[in-house]
């Protein structure tokens, strides 16, 4: 009898986040779910740490769900910090060897195809950023194709890549939810409002954690102090309004 996956049986998100923090910017498989709907729901929760304390503070992690040979895998990476991390594109175009569709390898040569950047076996990122040219000799001529190395260790065979590229209706894997980029208003209040727009129901405590990540510790403490006075009843938008009011200059005769 086939044994159950340890990921499916008991997802250990604390261990996954610890591994991701140790390899900032690199994707790690956090869990494996039998249901794609479950995996996609968790992937949406990870960036905003909604009911997922292992992924706090808000915005510290990205996530996506992708097909796995045993179900649907949840892939996450740690992105908090000053240095930007490379974006994972949806597709990659590569040159591969094609030995023709007819008898006797008629039409043998090189063709360029476009495929997903997710490994078809485990859903992990393919080596789209490791592509290098490879020159080979065939029937008296030299050709150049592309080679790449997948971080997950699975090897792509040209025949399988060609078959994948011909699936015109191949669905795109949802792109990972990125760390919210600084809006035009990059003030602490502006950062909170941008995050709250992406996550309905965002709490002031999450807003404070976001400011900690962005280096606004003093404003985060102001929000926490107000939270204590309100017995924890405060939304992220109210936290932003608080910071706006505290930053507004006061002039004689009233508020400017």
């Amino acid at each position: 009898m086939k044994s159950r996956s340890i990921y499916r049986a008991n997802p250990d998100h604390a261990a996954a986040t610890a591994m991701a923090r140790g390899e900032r910017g690199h994707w790690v498989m956090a869990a494996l779910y039998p249901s794609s709907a479950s995996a996609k729901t968790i992937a949406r929760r990870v960036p905003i740490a909604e009911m997922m304390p292992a992924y706090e503070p808000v915005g510290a992690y990205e996530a996506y769900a992708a097909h796995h040979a045993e179900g649907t895998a949840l892939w996450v990476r740690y992105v908090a910090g000053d240095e930007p991390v490379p974006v994972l594109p949806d597709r990659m175009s590569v040159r591969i060897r094609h030995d023709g569709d007819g008898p006797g390898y008629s039409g043998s040569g090189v063709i360029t195809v476009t495929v997903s950047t997710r490994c078809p076996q485990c859903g992990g990122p393919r080596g789209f950023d490791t592509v290098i040219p490879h020159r080979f000799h065939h029937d008296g001529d030299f050709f150049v194709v592309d080679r790449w190395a997948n971080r997950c260790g699975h090897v792509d065979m040209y025949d399988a890549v060609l078959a994948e590229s011909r699936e015109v209706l191949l669905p795109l894997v949802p792109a990972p939810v990125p760390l919210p980029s600084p809006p035009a208003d990059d003030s602490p209040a502006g950062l909170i409002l941008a995050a709250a727009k992406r996550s309905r129901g965002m709490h002031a405590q999450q807003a404070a954690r976001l400011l900690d990540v962005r280096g606004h510790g003093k404003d985060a403490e102001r929000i926490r102090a107000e939270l204590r006075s309100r017995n924890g009843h405060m939304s992220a938008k109210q936290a932003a309004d608080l910071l706006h009011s505290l930053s507004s200059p006061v002039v004689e005769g009233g508020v400017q």
Side-chain angles (χ1 to χ4, degrees):
M1 183 175 69
K2 186 176 181 180
S3 61
R4 294 181 65 195
S5 164
I6 59 172
Y7 291 97
R8 184 180 300 177
N10 186 27
D12 190 343
H13 291 288
T17 54
M19 184 182 301
R21 286 195 300 272
E23 299 184 77
R24 180 183 181 274
H26 291 297
W27 294 94
V28 300
M29 190 170 77
L32 183 60
Y33 296 90
S35 165
S36 62
S38 297
K40 291 175 182 177
T41 296
I42 298 300
R44 288 192 295 269
R45 290 178 177 174
V46 166
I48 57 176
E50 180 185 350
M51 301 173 64
M52 304 287 289
Y55 295 99
E56 294 179 345
V58 175
Y61 295 86
E62 291 181 350
Y64 71 84
H67 171 76
H68 186 286
E70 296 183 23
T72 303
L74 172 71
W75 288 82
V76 302
R77 68 174 174 176
Y78 183 67
V79 295
D82 296 330
E83 294 297 323
V85 295
V87 175
L88 176 61
D90 290 317
R91 297 292 179 91
M92 59 188 287
S93 294
V94 290
R95 296 168 296 180
I96 65 171
R97 176 172 176 169
H98 177 43
D99 289 325
D101 298 316
Y105 298 108
S106 59
S108 178
V110 174
I111 60 174
T112 299
V113 298
T114 300
V115 292
S116 170
T117 54
R118 277 66 165 181
C119 170
Q121 297 188 54
C122 69
R126 268 176 169 154
F128 69 94
D129 53 352
T130 68
V131 177
I132 58 173
H134 170 68
R135 189 167 181 259
F136 71 95
H137 182 266
H138 174 72
D139 197 24
D141 291 317
F142 282 97
F143 299 89
V144 176
V145 293
D146 290 320
R147 283 186 173 180
W148 59 94
N150 297 332
R151 183 177 173 82
C152 60
H154 294 124
V155 178
D156 288 316
M157 306 303 292
Y158 286 149
D159 287 347
V161 171
L162 176 61
E164 179 185 338
S165 72
R166 288 175 169 173
E167 296 176 8
V168 180
L169 299 180
L170 178 71
L172 283 174
V173 177
V177 180
L179 182 70
S181 57
D185 177 7
D186 60 356
S187 66
L191 292 171
I192 293 173
L193 290 175
K197 186 176 180 180
R198 298 170 60 89
S199 174
R200 289 187 176 182
M202 184 176 177
H203 192 266
Q205 185 63 41
Q206 293 175 304
R209 290 171 185 154
L210 174 61
L211 293 188
D212 281 331
V213 173
R214 295 290 184 149
H216 299 287
K218 289 184 179 180
D219 289 301
E221 285 305 316
R222 289 173 180 171
I223 292 173
R224 293 190 179 99
E226 185 67 17
L227 265 172
R228 289 190 291 269
S229 69
R230 299 189 185 190
N231 295 318
H233 300 294
M234 188 179 185
S235 68
K237 187 177 183 302
Q238 289 173 325
D241 290 340
L242 170 69
L243 296 183
H244 269 309
S245 65
L246 292 176
S247 64
S248 298
V250 178
V251 296
E252 187 177 351
V255 179
Q256 187 176 40

